[in-house]
Amino acid sequence: MSRYISKSVLLLIFSVVICCGIYPLLLWVVGQTIFPFQANGSMLAGPDGKIVGSKMIAQPFTKDEYFQPRPSAASYDASASASSSLAASNYALRYRVASMLGPIVKYKSGPKAGQLVAADIEAWFQQDKYGGKPNIVAQWADAHNSAAQAWVNGDPTHAAYVDAWAKAHPAIVAQWIKDNPGTPQPKAPDLAVVFFENFSKDNPGKFPASVTKTGPDGKPQTAIEPVKEGSDIQSTFFDMWRDEHADADLQDVPGDMVTTSGSGLDPHITLDNAKYQLDRVATKWAANLKRDPAQVRGEIEQILQGNAAAPFGGLVGEKMVNVLEVNLQLRQRYGAPSS
């Protein structure tokens, strides 16, 4: 018996040494000597030499001077890689995609061909009617309960704004509690729909949005105010506008511009997606640099073409560009964007 036990122990020790010591060490040596860049996370540095991210993991870019990646169901968190898991028939997916289309989609034909739809969404919204009935914001909240609650949860200032509204309207809150006895102490998200219903009556043709102004101390201060234009309105009400303007001929948008990848971390976008964003990026850089927009556009397009490549050496798929690599080249060429 002791002989079998001793052999088992020796086998265990041998396996631990090989599998937990020699093998990982061998892989580490090979990686550090032959593939040091990939083995250390494919990290890229900015113009100042500081690491700004991995070329293998997407990260958000919000400035107009930069190309933007695919949307991410994981909020670009590498520790929470995930898809949205929303089926094509799920209304939540339709609403999310529509929200992204509002500020970017353009007319395909007609007298406004090539122009953004955004301005027409705002003008239509300001009329404060949908389906021939008034109070468009109230109708939106009633039809999109989850979206209204998501607005409240999306930013601490939103929840604080609704809390302040609740304190200023105790009778409305009391009636809500009476109608919902299972929630005797409602929080801001619980009151989202009734808040928007009341807001719509008090502020026809307007929507609550963050507005940044210069305070008395000279520093920027952000507060929620009723607005009648802006990206919030373009995003939130595009789906309803489209419903009433079904005959409007709109340009197709690259699919990867409004859909997430399976991991939520895809660092690449299609070349078509990048070209769709090109006018915005070039126009902003030209304004910052006070240069001819056409010339800047040509330079940026060359950067895109130089970075575009299809998988497996071009054998399959369509051309893609790495968003972080392209944006770093823009930074190196044109400097830091204006604030």
Side-chain angles (χ1 to χ4, degrees):
M1 177 64 75
S2 60
R3 181 179 63 179
Y4 294 117
I5 294 177
S6 61
K7 287 184 177 181
S8 297
V9 171
L10 288 174
L11 180 59
L12 175 62
I13 295 174
F14 181 77
S15 300
V16 170
V17 171
I18 294 294
C19 298
C20 301
I22 297 177
Y23 179 67
L25 180 61
L26 179 63
L27 290 182
W28 181 83
V29 172
V30 171
Q32 294 299 324
T33 55
I34 303 179
F35 310 104
F37 177 70
Q38 294 88 339
N40 289 288
S42 301
M43 308 303 289
L44 298 177
D48 57 1
K50 294 182 179 179
I51 298 298
V52 296
S54 169
K55 67 175 291 185
M56 304 306 296
I57 300 208
Q59 57 180 280
F61 289 90
T62 56
K63 288 185 177 293
D64 288 338
E65 292 89 343
Y66 291 131
F67 290 94
Q68 297 170 4
R70 298 182 65 170
S72 171
S75 299
Y76 305 101
D77 183 354
S79 66
S81 174
S83 65
S84 66
S85 298
L86 296 176
S89 59
N90 192 318
Y91 184 79
L93 177 61
R94 173 187 170 88
Y95 182 80
R96 181 179 64 75
V97 171
S99 297
M100 298 189 67
L101 288 173
I104 63 173
V105 74
K106 301 176 182 178
Y107 287 105
K108 184 177 181 180
S109 61
K112 295 184 178 180
Q115 296 182 24
L116 291 170
V117 175
D120 287 344
I121 297 174
E122 293 172 345
W124 167 83
F125 170 80
Q126 291 164 17
Q127 297 176 13
D128 196 38
K129 287 185 178 181
Y130 175 70
K133 299 179 180 179
N135 299 323
I136 189 172
V137 172
Q139 291 190 62
W140 165 78
D142 290 338
H144 306 87
N145 288 195
S146 60
Q149 292 180 336
W151 183 89
V152 177
N153 288 321
D155 191 303
T157 59
H158 294 179
Y161 188 78
V162 175
D163 285 336
W165 169 86
K167 292 180 181 178
H169 298 80
I172 296 178
V173 175
Q175 182 61 46
W176 187 92
I177 294 175
K178 183 178 180 181
D179 296 336
N180 300 269
T183 311
Q185 295 181 327
K187 296 182 179 180
D190 300 322
L191 299 171
V193 174
V194 70
F195 158 74
F196 279 112
E197 290 174 345
N198 179 257
F199 179 93
S200 184
K201 294 177 182 177
D202 292 344
N203 302 276
K206 293 184 179 181
F207 189 76
S210 298
V211 177
T212 301
K213 298 180 179 179
T214 302
D217 57 357
K219 296 181 179 180
Q221 296 181 352
T222 301
I224 304 298
E225 296 182 5
V227 301
K228 60 180 181 179
E229 57 190 17
S231 59
D232 284 357
I233 291 172
Q234 298 162 15
S235 296
T236 305
F237 295 94
F238 171 73
D239 196 30
M240 296 173 71
W241 175 89
R242 185 58 169 156
D243 185 52
E244 290 203 340
H245 298 80
D247 57 340
D249 189 19
L250 307 181
Q251 291 183 6
D252 292 333
V253 173
D256 65 314
M257 183 175 253
V258 294
T259 56
T260 66
S261 63
S263 66
L265 302 172
D266 189 349
H268 297 89
I269 59 175
T270 61
L271 183 58
D272 287 343
N273 185 343
K275 287 182 176 180
Y276 199 94
Q277 301 183 51
L278 181 56
D279 286 338
R280 167 181 55 79
V281 175
T283 300
K284 190 64 175 180
W285 277 116
N288 291 348
L289 302 170
K290 294 179 172 58
R291 291 180 52 193
D292 178 28
Q295 185 181 36
V296 174
R297 190 183 192 282
E299 293 173 357
I300 298 177
E301 189 167 15
Q302 287 183 350
I303 292 176
L304 290 178
Q305 294 294 346
N307 284 271
F312 299 103
L315 295 176
V316 298
E318 55 185 308
K319 288 187 175 181
M320 314 283 286
V321 295
N322 186 287
V323 176
L324 179 57
E325 288 184 319
V326 168
N327 285 341
L328 281 176
Q329 289 190 31
L330 293 177
R331 176 67 184 275
Q332 291 167 355
R333 180 157 189 160
Y334 300 125
S338 60
S339 57

